[in-house]
Amino acid sequence: MAWEITTEELLKKYTSGKRNFAGAVVIRERGYGRNYIDLEGAVLRDINLRGADLSFADLSGADLSRADLFSASLIEARLDSAIDLLQN
């Protein structure tokens, strides 16, 4: 089941130890749609974003070491210089 979370909430929960965001629809801010989600340079090691909607996200330079992105939607996402994206 899909559920919405803002980038700010995701980063705060990740920092506090949560790693499972499976099925999340990551949005910029509630009520503003999903365009231009800013996760540039974010450290997201071991995160579970299985089936998450990251369309239009800026993940450039993000550390996605051991991230689970199976079935995640990355339509028009920026992934340049993302770390370890394909080495899981």
Side-chain angles (χ1 to χ4, degrees):
M1 177 182 222
W3 50 283
E4 290 185 347
I5 187 168
T6 65
T7 54
E8 294 83 12
E9 291 170 328
L10 183 141
L11 292 172
K12 184 177 179 180
K13 289 181 181 200
Y14 180 89
T15 301
S16 69
K18 182 171 180 166
R19 296 293 181 268
N20 188 356
F21 297 92
V25 176
V26 183
I27 59 175
R28 182 179 57 180
E29 290 181 40
R30 294 205 187 282
Y32 289 97
R34 298 180 208 142
N35 292 336
Y36 311 111
I37 299 161
D38 184 13
L39 291 170
E40 181 180 1
V43 176
L44 300 171
R45 292 182 200 115
D46 299 308
I47 195 167
N48 179 354
L49 288 167
R50 197 173 259 253
D53 185 350
L54 295 165
S55 300
F56 305 101
D58 183 357
L59 290 159
S60 52
D63 183 350
L64 297 166
S65 302
R66 297 174 307 279
D68 185 351
L69 297 170
F70 182 79
S71 293
S73 176
L74 296 166
I75 298 168
E76 294 192 40
R78 291 190 61 195
L79 297 166
D80 37 311
S81 300
I83 299 168
D84 207 32
L85 186 59
L86 300 174
Q87 297 180 14
N88 291 328

